[in-house]
Amino acid sequence: MALPMDSVEQKQASVPPSAALEMLPQDFSTRPDASHGWQGWIPFIARLITFGGALALTAFATYQMVLIVSGGSVTVLQWIMVALFCITFVWIALAACAGLVGFLFSGKSRRVGEVDLSEKKTVLLMPVYNEDPKETCAALYSMGMALYEKQLGEQFEIFIISDSNDPDVWVQETAAVDKLKTALAGKLNVWYRRRHDNTAKKAGNVHEFVSRWGSRYDYMLVLDADSLLSAETLHTLMMEMASDPKSGIIQTLPCLYRGDTLFARIQQFAGAVYGPIVAQGITAWQGNDGNYWGHNAIIRVSAFAEAAGLPRIGGVKPFEGDILSHDFVEAALMRRAGWNVRMLPALKGSWEESPPSLSDVAVRDRRWAQGNIQHLAVLKARGLRWPNRFHMLTGVMAYMASPFWLALILIGIVMAIQIHYVNVEYFSESVSLYPNWPVFDSERMIQLFIFTMAIVLLPKCFGLIRAFFHAPLRQPLGIIRMTLGMLVEVFFSVLYAPIFMLIHSKHILDIFRGQDSGWATQQRQSSGIPWLQLCKQHVWHTAIGIGLTALVYFYSPMLLVWLSPILVGLILSIPLSALSGSKTLAKGLRKIGILNIPEEQRTYPIFETREKFAAQLSQTLASVSILSMGQNSDYQDRHFQLVEALPPVKKGEAPMHRLSVEYKLNDAQNREELLGWLDKKEKLALLNEKHLFDKFCQLAT
């Protein structure tokens, strides 16, 4: 096989020659002149079922709630309860109706025939931020080798765009990238660039890439640090994009895998069994007005540059600043400009990983919540399609539903206390057979509760029924084991739901108080959480659960029965959180076939390739550090080959960190002493400039 076109050039530089593509911030106050057209009967019927059905179900349930409270004089609190019930119910009704649509429709590929890709080029774009370089480079190696074996080495390139600002991670990152470049030399081009300035975070990182090298590529397949796609899937995505000149983004449905904790395995089982139904429903009703999840999707680079430049948002916190959850907005802007944004839920071979524990997902959700709430300021942008606005609103309600649910519970408790203390006047001046207090129709309430639970479970039931008749799921997992897996998943979901309710409610409170989420690296592999840390995280959840239990038991023992699943989850939040990260329980369930997924029942060569290369990198990186690099001239040379020159210092400003390092270099007696004096930014300055590192190497060991 011929070498990739730039293999010789690649040996000389860490980045390809500049291929600039202008990407300007979009104006939210203008409406682009774009045509969208009729999308066909399937989206029309799917939207009618999804939204019409959800409205009908919500109207029915709300009417039943009104009947429940209207047995006597309806109080203000009762009307507030009805309103909150309506708001929370509509979202579960939408999920149920979308599940029904997914049961009826499927998302098929539109491509017909083969397309000539010889003149097309796609970049596997991997943004990283202090990630484990062993894992990211192993995934890229396995994808690169799979593409090479499919004779697609000239159609694809790998480009790692780093925002890492931890010096210890960075030296391991450059060592791992060097090994990756060497391993794929002559097979696939591998490029690497680390930014010196993390402006606008991930969105800014991708924006800079497009601005500097965008015209080099026809398409970019954006990855997350835990992404993995098969060569067949990568090829299919490229063919799909090339065959439809109006496609701007094509999103895959990533399957969760590699979970070795209880929480991760619950998530990946749910994704495998229920996920396809939900995704097919979304695909059917959204049509070309689709969404983008930020990774495992192919994007037409020229369209992205033309339509998806993000402006900074003005105003007050939490809305002002850079757009954090950029993906939803980028999809909406591309669709606004007339590009199709669609999804292929039936396309397999796209994977990602789940956060390993409840605590880890809570940390991730804090950043996601702030980004999604920020979308409230984007909704006013002119020219957006209503399905794209709905996608953003759904993201907002993913977190806002929690404080609504909490308010509904608290109002119910307040009304129970009110009933307890009411002064019943049987001989008041007005002629009435009933006292003037809140009255509920208990029989109708039980019926509404059963109806609501059925609506909540409907998408899961649709997914399970589909799995029974879907050979790729039924044969490796078995009907009985899938059913038991659903029972386990539902059991733990019920217990974890109230914990997430309080976590998300606090997130929302902090966001509207103007507290920034920061930019923390996502935890992707379980390392265990100390009990003391778990106690600190969940002590208030436990205290609230105990307090509410005592309160309800005293004032309304019957209400205690209704709230018991919520209260049990809160009271046991500490052990439940610990259990979420349990590898022992996860391993035991896997042995008996509970919560298993198809990927665990067969051999995938791309998985094996990844694991083998990760093991090799693990041995290499075990000895890589700033100190050891000072003793190894090869590591030094390879590191500085991957370092881009610092931008020129602005006039009137002083490079304080560089000057500080130079000053401390003159005082230090040995290398360990110097490193003990340097903070992170000073260590980055040391690793950025070869002449400073040469002075470091001259110090005594």
Side-chain angles (χ1 to χ4, degrees):
M1 182 185 297
L3 298 182
M5 291 179 287
D6 300 302
S7 59
V8 176
E9 175 187 78
Q10 183 190 3
K11 295 177 182 178
Q12 307 300 323
S14 64
V15 296
S18 176
L21 187 61
E22 188 176 47
M23 187 171 181
L24 298 175
Q26 297 297 301
D27 186 352
F28 285 175
S29 65
T30 61
R31 181 190 298 271
D33 182 16
S35 174
H36 298 93
W38 168 254
Q39 297 189 42
W41 285 103
I42 288 181
F44 176 80
I45 295 171
R47 290 173 183 182
L48 191 63
I49 295 173
T50 301
F51 296 97
L55 288 175
L57 288 173
T58 303
F60 171 79
T62 304
Y63 177 65
Q64 294 302 310
M65 192 66 178
V66 171
L67 293 178
I68 287 170
V69 303
S70 60
S73 298
V74 184
T75 67
V76 173
L77 282 179
Q78 285 178 305
W79 282 122
I80 295 174
M81 174 181 277
V82 171
L84 289 172
F85 173 81
C86 178
I87 292 171
T88 53
F89 188 91
V90 69
W91 294 101
I92 65 173
L94 281 165
C97 292
L100 173 61
V101 169
F103 195 73
L104 299 175
F105 299 96
S106 62
K108 298 294 184 182
S109 168
R110 299 184 183 181
R111 178 171 55 86
V112 179
E114 293 294 315
V115 179
D116 183 14
L117 299 179
S118 60
E119 300 300 319
K120 304 292 185 182
K121 182 166 286 191
T122 299
V123 59
L124 302 183
L125 189 65
M126 174 74 85
V128 295
Y129 175 70
N130 297 330
E131 303 284 353
D132 182 349
K134 166 176 62 69
E135 295 295 331
T136 55
C137 288
L140 290 170
Y141 173 77
S142 61
M143 286 185 276
M145 284 301 298
L147 288 168
Y148 173 71
E149 290 166 1
K150 292 289 183 181
Q151 300 185 349
L152 294 169
E154 290 197 17
Q155 277 70 55
F156 287 86
E157 292 186 350
I158 291 171
F159 209 129
I160 303 167
I161 53 175
S162 173
D163 260 340
S164 297
N165 58 7
D166 184 322
D168 297 315
V169 171
W170 187 26
V171 293
Q172 295 229 327
E173 190 172 277
T174 54
V177 169
D178 177 72
K179 292 294 182 183
L180 175 65
K181 288 168 69 72
T182 301
L184 291 179
K187 300 179 177 69
L188 208 76
N189 286 330
V190 178
W191 310 104
Y192 173 85
R193 183 273 291 138
R194 174 189 168 271
R195 285 201 300 173
H196 299 290
D197 181 5
N198 300 144
T199 302
K201 302 177 182 177
K202 182 178 177 180
N205 198 0
V206 174
H207 179 279
E208 184 189 294
F209 164 80
V210 172
S211 299
R212 291 182 62 182
W213 298 289
S215 63
R216 180 182 177 89
Y217 303 104
D218 299 284
Y219 318 121
M220 60 181 182
L221 207 143
V222 183
L223 305 170
D224 217 347
D226 55 8
S227 296
L228 186 68
L229 291 95
S230 69
E232 293 81 4
T233 300
L234 293 170
H235 184 237
T236 299
L237 287 170
M238 194 171 177
M239 295 286 283
E240 287 277 344
M241 185 66 80
S243 67
D244 180 6
K246 291 299 293 178
S247 280
I249 301 177
I250 302 177
Q251 176 72 61
T252 65
L253 174 63
C255 297
L256 298 175
Y257 82 126
R258 292 185 84 201
D260 61 356
T261 64
L262 175 66
F263 187 85
R265 295 188 65 76
I266 287 172
Q267 296 303 306
Q268 65 186 29
F269 173 83
V273 177
Y274 322 141
I277 284 290
V278 176
Q280 286 170 193
I282 293 172
T283 301
W285 72 254
Q286 71 183 11
N288 292 329
D289 300 310
N291 205 3
Y292 168 44
W293 300 338
H295 60 276
N296 291 37
I298 192 168
I299 300 174
R300 190 179 302 272
V301 179
S302 58
F304 190 79
E306 166 203 317
L310 300 181
R312 281 181 62 86
I313 298 178
V316 297
K317 291 184 178 181
F319 306 113
E320 64 90 21
D322 297 313
I323 296 175
L324 300 180
S325 292
H326 54 92
D327 37 16
F328 282 38
V329 182
E330 288 161 348
L333 291 174
M334 289 187 69
R335 185 59 183 145
R336 182 178 77 156
W339 296 99
N340 294 339
V341 179
R342 55 192 182 92
M343 184 176 179
L344 295 179
L347 181 62
K348 302 302 179 183
S350 174
W351 299 279
E352 64 176 337
E353 297 175 40
S354 167
S357 71
L358 188 151
S359 296
D360 294 311
V361 79
V363 173
R364 182 199 67 181
D365 279 0
R366 176 61 180 85
R367 184 178 72 252
W368 283 14
Q370 183 170 331
N372 286 8
I373 293 298
Q374 198 181 39
H375 289 165
L376 291 172
V378 180
L379 288 173
K380 64 184 180 182
R382 299 188 63 194
L384 298 183
R385 300 275 290 172
W386 74 260
N388 294 113
R389 296 183 197 273
F390 180 77
H391 286 312
M392 294 186 205
L393 192 59
T394 301
V396 172
M397 282 302 296
Y399 298 98
M400 284 299 298
S402 287
F404 286 136
W405 183 26
L406 179 60
L408 184 61
I409 293 169
L410 293 178
I411 286 176
I413 294 173
V414 169
M415 287 172 42
I417 297 172
Q418 184 186 51
I419 292 172
H420 181 84
Y421 282 112
V422 71
N423 181 20
V424 184
E425 298 182 8
Y426 287 100
F427 303 102
S428 62
E429 295 180 0
S430 61
V431 179
S432 174
L433 296 177
Y434 300 98
N436 187 24
W437 61 351
V439 176
F440 296 93
D441 184 338
S442 58
E443 183 178 347
R444 195 182 296 272
M445 184 181 291
I446 293 172
Q447 293 172 354
L448 181 59
F449 175 79
I450 294 172
F451 177 74
T452 303
M453 290 300 100
I455 296 299
V456 169
L457 293 174
L458 200 58
K460 298 177 188 288
C461 293
F462 280 140
L464 190 64
I465 293 170
R466 170 192 172 274
F468 289 167
F469 295 94
H470 188 58
L473 281 172
R474 183 186 70 252
Q475 291 176 354
L477 303 184
I479 292 176
I480 295 176
R481 289 192 297 272
M482 279 194 294
T483 304
L484 292 174
M486 176 181 172
L487 294 176
V488 172
E489 187 272 333
V490 170
F491 173 77
F492 280 105
S493 295
V494 168
L495 292 176
Y496 286 134
I499 304 174
F500 278 116
M501 175 186 70
L502 292 187
I503 289 172
H504 290 168
S505 295
K506 185 178 185 303
H507 288 346
I508 297 301
L509 177 62
D510 290 343
I511 289 166
F512 280 101
R513 288 167 57 197
Q515 294 185 8
D516 187 69
S517 64
W519 192 18
T521 304
Q522 183 174 318
Q523 184 69 31
R524 305 181 192 278
Q525 297 295 321
S526 175
S527 56
I529 301 176
W531 278 94
L532 181 60
Q533 183 179 338
L534 288 173
C535 290
K536 289 180 179 179
Q537 289 175 347
H538 299 291
V539 62
W540 286 108
H541 305 154
T542 304
I544 290 171
I546 294 172
L548 290 179
T549 300
L551 193 69
V552 175
Y553 177 76
F554 180 80
Y555 289 109
S556 180
M558 182 55 67
L559 184 59
L560 186 63
V561 176
W562 289 86
L563 295 180
S564 58
I566 296 170
L567 298 174
V568 168
L570 293 178
I571 292 171
L572 299 179
S573 58
I574 295 173
L576 281 171
S577 185
L579 206 59
S580 72
S582 171
K583 293 185 177 182
T584 303
L585 180 56
K587 186 177 181 180
L589 289 172
R590 180 174 179 175
K591 280 186 177 180
I592 59 176
I594 306 300
L595 301 179
N596 286 4
I597 57 173
E599 283 81 356
E600 296 167 338
Q601 308 302 311
R602 55 167 288 194
T603 299
Y604 287 78
I606 194 170
F607 293 176
E608 295 180 343
T609 303
R610 173 179 180 163
E611 295 303 325
K612 288 179 181 178
F613 195 69
Q616 295 174 21
L617 285 178
S618 184
Q619 292 182 347
T620 299
L621 299 182
S623 60
V624 174
S625 65
I626 301 176
L627 197 61
S628 66
M629 198 171 82
Q631 301 167 350
N632 189 314
S633 59
D634 286 341
Y635 277 146
Q636 293 173 38
D637 292 340
R638 293 168 186 169
H639 170 81
F640 284 102
Q641 284 175 3
L642 295 173
V643 176
E644 277 204 297
L646 286 165
V649 178
K650 293 181 181 179
K651 195 171 183 180
E653 294 184 1
M656 298 305 299
H657 300 298
R658 184 193 315 170
L659 295 174
S660 177
V661 173
E662 289 180 339
Y663 183 86
K664 293 177 181 180
L665 273 166
N666 293 330
D667 278 357
Q669 298 296 315
N670 55 63
R671 298 172 188 173
E672 288 190 11
E673 183 179 46
L674 176 68
L675 293 177
W677 290 346
L678 302 182
D679 62 23
K680 281 191 174 184
K681 290 186 177 180
E682 290 169 336
K683 287 180 181 178
L684 288 173
L686 179 68
L687 294 168
N688 265 318
E689 303 199 47
K690 185 70 166 63
H691 76 278
L692 291 179
F693 203 85
D694 287 342
K695 290 183 179 180
F696 169 74
C697 293
Q698 294 169 10
L699 295 174
T701 57

